[in-house]
Amino acid sequence: SCALGLQSLTRLKVLVIVWVVVGASLAVSGDMAFSSIGFMYQAASQMAECLRMVMGEIVLTGRRLDPLTYTFFLAPVCLVVLIFANACQWNPHILPDFVQWWP
């Protein structure tokens, strides 16, 4: 939203972002093998979430639309995107694995 001029970038906001990044980096442990497909999924996910937040800010401040109505409009769009992504990455072993690991 700072890039679109909806909000101003302050030192406090930069400090909070740096604090979160450092904290998340310190919390990482375990297998440190880099996965390029995982990185691309995370980058796409973060971009989509940022776009959703900016779109929500534009819609909610520009018009008299309450947050619940905004969610009602946005939920079907998110469902279509998730169904498309799931169809692109579908593996026939998903359902049997799910049944096997379900408690």
Side-chain angles (χ1 to χ4, degrees), residues 29-58:
S29 63
D31 188 18
M32 296 298 289
F34 181 77
S35 170
S36 60
I37 190 76
F39 180 78
M40 289 189 303
Y41 281 150
Q42 284 293 329
S45 170
Q46 289 299 315
M47 183 62 69
E49 180 65 17
C50 290
L51 289 173
R52 185 189 68 83
M53 297 292 284
V54 169
M55 185 175 66
E57 187 174 345
I58 291 170

Side-chain angles (χ1 to χ4, degrees), residues 7-89:
Q7 294 183 4
S8 61
L9 188 64
T10 63
R11 288 184 199 163
L12 181 61
K13 289 179 184 177
V14 172
L15 181 65
V16 169
I17 292 170
V18 169
W19 182 261
V20 169
V21 169
V22 168
S25 299
L26 292 175
V28 172
S29 63
D31 188 18
M32 296 298 289
F34 181 77
S35 170
S36 60
I37 190 76
F39 180 78
M40 289 189 303
Y41 281 150
Q42 284 293 329
S45 170
Q46 289 299 315
M47 183 62 69
E49 180 65 17
C50 290
L51 289 173
R52 185 189 68 83
M53 297 292 284
V54 169
M55 185 175 66
E57 187 174 345
I58 291 170
V59 169
L60 292 175
T61 57
R63 295 175 179 80
R64 295 184 180 256
L65 190 65
D66 62 304
L68 187 59
T69 307
Y70 171 71
T71 302
F72 284 149
F73 282 119
L74 191 64
V77 175
C78 292
L79 178 65
V80 168
V81 170
L82 289 173
I83 287 173
F84 177 74
N86 194 11
C88 290
Q89 293 295 320

